[in-house]
């Protein structure tokens, strides 16, 4: 996904991806050498069990959503057994804790189809996520930050998404240049 950085290291015994920031979708294949496939983040690791899954690393938290088969999640500092996450489930974890496994959003991989799907999000969070898909700066005035938004948005034109906000919410889009815009109260 956008704003993503990874390091990839394959050895004779292990296939590893280190997600430094951002979001990736992994689809593993059987390995002739039977090497495990592991994704590392600052918060811990995710071991694929023959699967397709999405890993998103945000500040001090990682979210794993499994589309096919299963993964095992381990936090960086907790000992004990790994947490199994099956298809249709997701889990968030930090360096020192793994949250309860929950039902995954059916749209957790929507970005792979150039879509942003949200349900009852704060406008501020929506604008922050939309910022990842456009160049320059996109801000949200604190006066409208708590407004709620739901919908499915095509990421191929973020300007169209912004223009449509003005017809559904009491906001206006103030454009200072092609690369600087702000969502503000009407």
């Amino acid at each position: 996904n956008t704003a993503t950085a990874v390091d990839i290291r394959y050895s004779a015994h292990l296939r590893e991806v280190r997600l430094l920031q951002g979001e990736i979708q992994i689809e593993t294949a059987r390995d002739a050498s039977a090497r495990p496939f592991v994704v590392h983040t600052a918060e811990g690791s995710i071991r694929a069990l023959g699967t397709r899954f999405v890993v998103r690393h945000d500040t001090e938290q990682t979210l794993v959503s499994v589309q096919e088969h299963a993964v095992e999640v381990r936090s960086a500092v907790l000992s004990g057994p790994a947490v199994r996450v099956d298809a249709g489930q997701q889990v968030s974890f930090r360096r020192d804790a793994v949250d309860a496994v929950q039902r995954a959003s059916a749209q957790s991989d929507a970005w792979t189809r150039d879509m942003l799907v949200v349900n009852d999000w704060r406008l501020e969070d929506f604008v922050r996520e939309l910022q990842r898909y456009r160049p320059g700066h996109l801000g949200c005035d604190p006066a409208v930050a708590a407004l709620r938004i739901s919908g499915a948005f095509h990421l191929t034109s973020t300007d169209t998404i912004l223009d449509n906000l003005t017809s559904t919410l009491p906001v206006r889009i103030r454009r200072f240049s092609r690369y600087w815009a702000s969502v503000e109260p009407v």
Side-chain angles (χ1 to χ4, degrees):
N1 202 350
T2 61
T4 296
V6 297
D7 285 334
I8 299 171
R9 190 174 90 188
Y10 280 30
S11 70
H13 305 289
L14 189 62
R15 299 174 292 164
E16 294 178 286
V17 173
R18 180 164 302 281
L19 178 57
L20 304 171
Q21 69 181 32
E23 185 172 26
I24 57 176
Q25 181 182 48
I26 300 290
E27 187 167 348
T28 60
R30 186 170 302 278
D31 183 60
S33 301
R35 296 173 294 176
F37 189 98
V38 180
V39 177
H40 300 283
T41 69
E43 291 73 43
S45 62
I46 303 103
R47 182 174 182 230
L49 302 176
T51 190
R52 183 168 56 95
F53 60 102
V54 172
V55 181
R56 181 173 179 141
H57 173 63
D58 287 320
T59 307
E60 299 181 12
Q61 178 173 298
T62 297
L63 173 67
V64 180
S65 177
V66 180
Q67 284 80 44
E68 291 179 8
H69 301 104
V71 300
E72 291 179 339
V73 172
R74 293 181 188 276
S75 73
V77 298
L78 288 181
S79 60
V83 174
R84 183 180 170 106
V85 185
D86 290 304
Q89 297 179 325
Q90 68 182 27
V91 70
S92 294
F93 64 100
R94 293 167 301 289
R95 291 184 54 77
D96 60 353
V98 178
D99 295 341
V101 174
Q102 300 178 347
R103 187 171 160 205
S105 163
Q107 301 299 329
S108 62
D109 64 346
W111 59 270
T112 66
R113 297 179 304 281
D114 291 327
M115 295 290 295
L116 174 58
V117 180
V118 300
N119 184 21
D120 197 32
W121 280 27
R122 287 173 40 90
L123 183 59
E124 177 180 44
D125 296 333
F126 176 79
V127 168
R128 185 179 306 112
E129 185 68 14
L130 190 60
Q131 167 65 59
R132 294 180 61 174
Y133 300 95
R134 64 180 283 121
H137 172 78
L138 178 59
C140 183
D141 189 294
V144 295
L147 293 174
R148 308 306 284 192
I149 186 167
S150 296
F153 304 89
H154 290 278
L155 293 168
T156 53
S157 175
T158 57
D159 283 327
T160 300
I161 294 171
L162 291 173
D163 291 341
N164 287 337
L165 288 180
T166 64
S167 64
T168 59
L169 295 171
V171 298
R172 70 182 178 127
I173 308 305
R174 191 163 178 214
R175 290 180 171 88
F176 301 95
S177 76
R178 181 175 167 201
Y179 300 104
W180 193 283
S182 180
V183 180
E184 300 177 348
V186 177

